[in-house]
Amino acid sequence: MSDKREKYDFLIIGGGIFGIYAALYLSKFGLRICIVEKEKELLKKASIVNQARLHSGYHYPRSVATALMSDDNKARFTADHQQFINSEFEKYYGIERYGSFTDSQQFERFCAFINIRCEPVLRHPLFNYHRLEALYHTIEYSFDPILIAEYYRQQLKQHDGDIEVQMYTEVKQAEARGGAWAVELCSLENGRRREVEAAQVINATYAGSNAVNRLFGMRDIDLMHEISEMVFVTSPQVKNIGLTVMDGNFGSLMPYGLSDMLSLSSVAYTHHKVSYDNLPTFDCQALNPECRPDFPSVCSSCPARPRSNYRKMIGQIKHYFADHVEFHYFTSMFTIKSKLKANYIDDGRPTEISILNENPRFYCIFAGKINSIYEVEKVVKV
Ligand SMILES: Cc1cc2nc3c(=O)[nH]c(=O)nc-3n(C[C@H](O)[C@H](O)[C@H](O)COP(=O)(O)OP(=O)(O)OC[C@H]3O[C@@H](n4cnc5c(N)ncnc54)[C@H](O)[C@@H]3O)c2cc1C
């Protein structure tokens, strides 16, 4: 690599919400920042393909640490994104009568322990109590991923003097030299190569985390990956209502932010394919040469994505509703969901930021939940 390099204080790889938030936060210190994103658009993966649950902790009765972290960040995320938050719906948590890992007593004890509201609902005309051991009225909001993505795109435009965004660009190679990172970038549009120097690097590529770690000679973090489907439905009867059934192979339905859609997920049917490799390795990649374990693509627009499981998912969630409740399928979005292998048992979703190299610094952000974007402020040194 030559010595004529553009210099940045931070090179951030990955233009999802975590990479973009980190860039906006760091720009407040007057630093020069470059975001490198491999796709043609920002925020096309997990940052928009998710259930949009503004976690309050209820979801993690087996991981008190994740539950407490959710509550930590909730108030600030809500205040900062007020116009994109749906707080006007009734949110219920139900305990499945058969085969749940949690029963009503445990769930109530857990809610009391982390101090979140859960009021038993003994009768409700919309729900089927034959399948629910207990139903609770809770407080949980939903954020609008599409509007939030647009907001962050606009924020970046307002910072185009101090945050450079390199779209459709790949990191070809990287090495530590003279206390900084020397990085070769390559445009995926025309193959043009460019050398840059960065004092610090942040890897915020989620499913791509280990591939980028390896490019910089860093160790893997232990991950597993799933190709996941979020289904979007409407219902004439279920308006402004969300239901999450705990705790095991069940499902969840809730308003997708401020849209008229309900997002529907099912532990049994949302996840089509599983990869226990540290890189997301799936058989469908053989059918799409643009998507590789070390360079995963956008599943929603992939011709090789799995066939939708929407019929099964609607069939499953209907069990928890009264007979007259109907759901109408609208569409599905697919993406890779990555998880820390360590959370296989407790189902926790912590956000972990590892410092994998001290000099020059290299951080790997592995994001568990959207409202933990602020964790970067605790770890990254300016
Ligand atoms: C199905 C599903 C449901 C979820 N539900 C919720 C929920 O209800 N509430 C919640 O808070 N969280 C939820 N999550 C988790 C949440 O969506 C993620 O933690 C968060 O979106 C991760 O954001 P990110 O910016 O790290 O990753 P992403 O949004 O995936 O962004 C990473 C970016 O890095 C880019 N990239 C990858 N490799 C490279 C490379 N080599 N070079 C350059 N760029 C690269 C990608 O193209 C992408 O743009 C869910 C996730 C999934 C998948």
Side-chain angles (χ1 to χ4, degrees), residues 165-186:
V165 183
Q166 290 287 317
M167 295 301 304
Y168 205 30
T169 296
E170 177 179 10
V171 174
K172 272 289 177 198
Q173 51 174 316
E175 61 190 25
R177 197 190 292 163
W181 290 106
V183 183
E184 186 175 36
L185 304 178
C186 177

Side-chain angles (χ1 to χ4, degrees), residues 176-296:
R177 197 190 292 163
W181 290 106
V183 183
E184 186 175 36
L185 304 178
C186 177
S187 160
L188 292 164
E189 183 140 38
N190 53 29
R192 201 170 294 144
R193 293 185 183 218
R194 184 177 159 225
E195 294 164 5
V196 302
E197 183 180 305
Q200 305 195 44
V201 166
I202 298 178
N203 174 4
T205 56
Y206 190 61
S209 295
N210 284 321
V212 172
N213 284 354
R214 290 179 192 183
L215 275 170
F216 284 79
M218 300 292 117
R219 68 167 168 81
D220 278 4
I221 49 173
D222 280 334
L223 294 180
M224 57 179 283
H225 312 269
E226 294 160 334
I227 295 188
S228 305
E229 176 182 8
M230 290 300 317
V231 163
F232 296 88
V233 298
T234 56
S235 166
Q237 296 84 18
V238 180
K239 298 234 173 263
N240 281 323
I241 285 182
L243 171 70
T244 299
V245 182
M246 303 300 285
D247 176 16
N249 249 359
F250 312 124
S252 186
L253 175 90
M254 49 192 290
Y256 185 64
L258 300 167
S259 74
D260 289 336
M261 297 290 139
L262 296 161
S263 65
L264 170 60
S265 69
S266 148
V267 177
Y269 303 119
T270 285
H271 309 300
H272 286 258
K273 293 174 190 283
V274 185
S275 163
Y276 294 100
D277 287 358
N278 276 344
L279 300 184
T281 307
F282 299 104
D283 56 0
C284 46
Q285 286 162 337
L287 304 169
N288 178 4
E290 283 186 9
C291 181
R292 306 186 314 253
D294 63 333
F295 214 51

